[in-house]
Amino acid sequence: MNAAAGRDGTTPVDVVSQVARLLDTAQQNAIPVGTETPWPQLGLDEAYASQSALIARRHERGEHGVGLKLGFTSEAKMRQMGVDEVIVGQLTDGMQVPDGGTIDLASLIHPRVEPEVAFLIGTDIDLADPDVDLAAAITGVAAGLEIIDSRYDGFRFDLPRVVADNTSAAMFVLGPWHSPDEVDLDDVPVTLRSGDEVIAEGTTAAILGHPLRTLPRLVALGGRLGLRLPAGSVVLAGAATEAVALPPGPVSAEVAGLGTVRAVGVPDRARPLGEDGGR
Ligand code: 0L1
Ligand code: MG
């Protein structure tokens, strides 16, 4: 790809589809895009267009959209990745792992795990609708695990790059849904465990002060991008702790009042353990 794309005859449409192809190939082969790969200067709009093209490729393979995720909703995450803006990514059914299910580590590059709060949206929502009331559409709340896996070598990216990479979304797991009337999300403890060992701790206040505060951000961003949330969609509101390298074996997230969500990382025996993401 030409690093000066858009200024030398390469159209933005070409750039968008080439970026999507590179990132899609990296994800499918679990081989990161190296820093030596020529890369265009992407603006944020082109980055979101690349994200859409990336998701379109997954849809062509038979996957379906099941919701949206927010990224960089905590101070810890923003600090960890050196950015200061909330971003949105798209979830497909191909990314969902059932509660207690297995995560094939061989299919991932350098996975990290983070504990999340998830919302279930009960009615069709057009985020561009000026009268949208997303909070009123919530019919379920659950603890979640998100597995992120940047398709860039060493998790090194700037904001447009991580947006094009669908905000590093790789897999997610949802715990049992609870009625929103029954749960208190105000500054409740969140614990991430590997087996019985606590590997990260935080509270729901780390998610923009309160997980519900992510919703206006999602409406603003999703409305600008023309995103929709059909009834039954999931929203991953964001992480309550820093992301931690995903270890092999059982991993769980407990959100007080929401219970525990679990998965098991199945190691790739063919590849040696290294420093990047626990491999
Ligand atoms: O879900 C997230 O907060 C991930 C945002 C993307 C950046 C990253 O790879 O950590
Ligand atoms: Mg996340």
Side-chain angles (χ1 to χ4, degrees):
M1 185 182 310
N2 195 306
R7 275 178 265 129
D8 65 349
T10 310
T11 67
V13 173
D14 291 335
V15 171
V16 159
S17 60
Q18 286 174 41
V19 165
R21 183 177 48 77
L22 266 179
L23 292 170
D24 195 35
T25 304
Q27 182 259 316
Q28 286 200 284
N29 297 333
I31 296 174
V33 177
T35 44
E36 75 288 350
T37 304
W39 202 260
Q41 291 293 323
L42 287 178
L44 213 46
D45 287 346
E46 284 168 312
Y48 276 112
S50 298
Q51 181 190 111
S52 293
L54 180 70
I55 291 298
R57 293 173 70 100
R58 295 184 76 124
H59 289 178
E60 279 162 21
R61 293 197 290 271
E63 296 182 33
H64 304 285
V66 294
L68 298 172
K69 60 157 283 189
L70 286 159
F72 298 146
T73 50
S74 77
E75 289 289 332
K77 282 287 307 189
M78 288 189 198
R79 221 177 19 252
Q80 182 182 29
M81 308 314 295
V83 302
D84 60 4
E85 197 169 325
V86 170
I87 54 179
V88 66
Q90 303 184 48
L91 303 173
T92 72
D93 57 347
M95 301 175 189
Q96 186 162 6
V97 173
D99 192 8
T102 56
I103 295 169
D104 174 14
L105 297 178
S107 70
L108 300 164
I109 301 167
H110 39 199
R112 297 177 180 176
V113 60
E114 42 189 38
E116 301 246 348
V117 170
F119 295 119
L120 182 64
I121 307 301
T123 51
D124 288 342
I125 294 287
D126 177 356
L127 292 170
D129 178 350
D131 298 324
V132 72
D133 186 349
L134 193 50
I138 293 173
T139 53
V141 186
L145 283 168
E146 188 186 12
I147 314 303
I148 56 170
D149 191 34
S150 174
R151 269 55 67 164
Y152 302 111
D153 207 14
F155 262 86
R156 281 189 294 274
F157 45 69
D158 57 16
L159 202 60
R161 275 193 178 219
V162 69
V163 164
D165 188 24
N166 196 26
T167 69
S168 306
M171 297 180 183
F172 66 98
V173 195
L174 300 173
W177 292 113
H178 297 259
S179 163
D181 304 331
E182 290 165 10
V183 297
D184 174 12
L185 291 178
D186 190 13
D187 200 13
V188 299
V190 177
T191 311
L192 183 65
R193 293 187 179 85
S194 167
D196 293 333
E197 184 195 348
V198 174
I199 53 175
E201 285 179 291
T203 84
T204 51
I207 307 168
L208 288 185
H210 189 295
L212 288 174
R213 289 209 192 123
T214 60
L215 300 180
R217 304 288 279 266
L218 179 57
V219 171
L221 200 47
R224 189 163 68 77
L225 298 169
L227 297 175
R228 307 179 75 93
L229 285 165
S233 294
V234 172
V235 171
L236 284 183
T241 71
E242 289 187 348
V244 177
L246 177 66
V251 65
S252 64
E254 181 181 4
V255 181
L258 294 181
T260 301
V261 54
R262 299 179 173 81
V264 181
V266 178
D268 172 10
R269 297 179 201 289
R271 286 209 257 175
L273 291 174
E275 287 181 353
D276 192 5
R279 285 193 182 281

